[in-house]
Structures are given as structure tokens and as C-alpha cells.
Amino acid sequence: MDMTVFILLLLFEIVYLRVARRRALLSIPGQRSSHSSPTVVGGGIVFVAAAVGAFIVTDASWPLMMAGLAIVAAVSFIDDLRPTPVSLRLLVQIVAVALMIADTGFTSSAPPLALVLIAFVALGMLNACNFMDGINGMAALYTLAVALPLAVAFGAAPVPAVWLRFTIMAALIFGFFNFRRHALCFAGDVGSISSGFILIFLLLNLIASTGEVWYAIFMIVYAVDAGLTVLHRLLLRRNIFRGHRMHLYQLLCNEAGLDHRVVALAYALLQLAISAAALLLPGGQMLFAACVATLLCATYIALVRRLFPLQQEAV
């Protein structure tokens, strides 16, 4: 069955790319872009197709999560075609995250204040995932880097296993067209938001079912980058809802001049190494997570202090 699904997803992606080129669904380079030529946008819609497939194969598992994914993907795709108000996107994301959390099991075990905190963190990470599309290969490789440890942690659990296999297939297919010096397509909001939504849901589902908060380490590399970037922008009194190129991986590509693929691969391999170490530890994962977070924060601060002035000089 998996080979059939892979072929269907590949054909879906090829058809979408052809239609998108004919309809001129292109990302035009701008001041905040990390690319230099018009490129097909929305190639990450294959993640939505994979989710629909997983939903069907698992007999409509997690209907609330799927409803949340459907509305957030639809609004994100519309935003790829023409800008939509930030207020509308944020409202839809709040509803989608609420539906997501309702399907994790937290609603029956966590107190209201904890639910609000979980929703806030999930919403923040969802928006952070949106920026992955700015670097070739980042969305595909980091999706794989999170999905593979999740697959190990879930083990043979049938429903998560199907969702993870289909998501991994989508990442491989999208990566084939995107993980290049000159990408053939970008994920678009529909791809980066959808893949992030799926991963965040599965991670929350794992934490809710096991009670082990340390599993959050499976996304710690991107979480530290995203969280400190928001803090940096707040300190500079900049609008955190506006597009920018201040994530560390963007600075590494645009200011340090590193190849997109090298940076994306470095992020993915670092995340995989951290997750593998956590899974292999006999205990003490929370202490390990704290040490890793501290080291990542220190590295982020040191590199941004060096690279951010270069961005200011280029403006």
C-alpha cells in the first residue's frame, strides 16, 4: 500500500506543479526573499494530500485535528495566492489549534491554565514553521528530522504510524523538488503551516499519551531559533507579525553566504542527533533537554551578534 500511496502523492505533486506554472502561481522575489527568481509556490500542498490519505486509511481518525488542518491549510493557500489580513489568519489558526488540542487527550487531563499555555506554545510554533519555507530544503529536511524520532517513540501504534509514514513520503517528494540550489517550487504557507501543524499535533499527542514532557526536545532546535528570534524582534520594537529575515538560518544563508542546502541539512542533522541522544538515554531526559536548550541559546546569541550587524549594513 505504501508504494501505491507514494506514487499517488508524487503524481499529485507533478500535476500541481504543472497547473501552478500555467496559472502563474509564483513567488516573486522581494526585499525579504532569500531567492532571486520567480518560483512556483504552494508545492507543500502535498502534505495536505498526505494527511487526507492518512485520515482515510485510518478510518477517519482524529476528525477534530483534520478539521483544524483543513481550515488552516485552506486559508494558508489563499494567502499564498493573495495576501489575507493577519487578523483573519490568526483567528483561523487559533480555532485550528483549539481543534488540534481537543483531539490530543489534554482536554480530559490538563487544567484550563495548562491548556491555554499549550495552545499558546502550539500557536507560536505553528507560525514559526511558516518561515521554514524561506530556505531551500528546510521544510522537507526538518520535517523528516522530527517525524523519524516521533516514529521511533510511537513504535507500532497503528494510527500515528500511518500518519508519520505518509508525512515522511510527502517530505521526500517535496524535498525532491525543493532541496536544490535553485528550487523548482516552494512549500508556501500551505505547505509549511500544514507540515508544522501535523508534527505539532503528533508531538502533543505523544506527550499527552505518555505524560513525558521531554519529548518536546524533538523540535527544540527550531523552537529555540524561533523563540529567540521573536524575542530579538520584540527588543528591537519590530512587528513580530510582519515578514522578516532574522531567523538564524536566514542570516546564515543571506548574510554569511552559506548554501541553503548546507544550512537546512545542518539544522536537520543537529535535531536528529539531539533526538537520538534523548531516546538512547536511560534517564535524565529533562536535565539533558535543559542543557541542550542552554547550549543552543548560547550558540544562537553568539552567531546572531556576529551576523545581524551585516544584515543592517546590507539594508
Side-chain angles (χ1 to χ4, degrees):
M1 180 186 73
D2 283 359
M3 182 56 67
T4 301
V5 171
F6 185 87
I7 292 172
L8 289 174
L9 289 175
L10 178 59
L11 291 175
F12 174 87
E13 182 78 337
I14 291 172
V15 170
Y16 173 79
L17 294 181
R18 289 184 176 180
V19 172
R21 290 192 193 99
R22 290 177 184 174
R23 297 296 182 92
L25 304 183
L26 306 174
S27 174
I28 308 300
Q31 184 179 2
R32 294 188 299 268
S33 302
S34 298
H35 63 290
S36 56
S37 59
T39 306
V40 170
V41 71
I45 197 171
V46 68
F47 287 105
V48 181
V52 171
F55 184 68
I56 294 172
V57 169
T58 56
D59 297 325
S61 60
W62 299 322
L64 296 179
M65 175 272 188
M66 192 65 208
L69 176 60
I71 61 173
V72 80
V75 171
S76 297
F77 187 63
I78 293 172
D79 189 55
D80 285 329
L81 303 181
R82 60 178 183 273
T84 56
V86 173
S87 56
L88 173 61
R89 281 180 282 145
L90 187 59
L91 176 61
V92 170
Q93 289 170 7
I94 290 172
V95 173
V97 166
L99 290 169
M100 169 205 291
I101 293 173
D103 243 351
T104 60
F106 274 120
T107 50
S108 61
S109 59
L113 185 59
L115 290 176
V116 172
L117 178 60
I118 292 168
F120 180 78
V121 173
L123 185 63
M125 280 302 296
L126 184 62
N127 277 280
C129 288
N130 189 26
F131 287 92
M132 283 187 185
D133 194 36
I135 299 300
N136 294 355
M138 179 65 80
L141 291 180
Y142 201 77
T143 295
L144 291 172
V146 177
L148 292 173
L150 278 172
V152 174
F154 272 113
V159 174
V162 172
W163 277 83
L164 284 164
R165 288 204 311 272
F166 285 21
T167 300
I168 289 170
M169 290 180 202
L172 291 172
I173 291 168
F174 172 68
F176 175 78
F177 296 100
N178 178 257
F179 186 52
R180 303 163 179 251
R181 177 175 289 276
H182 300 291
L184 298 181
C185 70
F186 295 144
D189 285 4
V190 65
S192 53
I193 289 285
S194 296
S195 60
F197 192 91
I198 294 167
L199 293 176
I200 293 167
F201 169 74
L202 288 168
L203 182 57
L204 290 178
N205 186 283
L206 177 63
I207 294 172
S209 61
T210 62
E212 298 289 351
V213 179
W214 68 263
Y215 280 121
I217 202 172
F218 288 172
M219 292 188 77
I220 195 169
V221 174
Y222 198 76
V224 168
D225 187 314
L228 291 183
T229 299
V230 170
L231 179 60
H232 188 193
R233 287 180 63 77
L234 287 173
L235 291 174
L236 294 172
R237 297 182 180 180
R238 298 189 180 181
N239 187 344
I240 62 174
F241 295 105
R242 295 187 63 182
H244 60 86
R245 299 199 315 184
M246 287 176 58
H247 281 284
L248 176 57
Y249 57 83
Q250 293 172 319
L251 294 174
L252 289 170
C253 292
N254 300 317
E255 273 58 56
L258 297 180
D259 189 299
H260 287 208
R261 295 166 296 177
V262 173
V263 174
L265 188 60
Y267 265 66
L269 290 177
L270 178 59
Q271 181 62 73
L272 276 174
I274 292 170
S275 299
L279 287 169
L280 292 172
L281 282 174
Q285 281 88 352
M286 287 300 294
L287 177 60
F288 176 69
C291 293
V292 168
T294 301
L295 288 173
L296 288 176
C297 288
T299 302
Y300 173 95
I301 293 170
L303 289 174
V304 168
R305 287 184 65 180
R306 182 184 183 90
L307 295 173
F308 185 66
L310 297 179
Q311 185 189 61
Q312 296 300 93
E313 291 173 8
V315 174

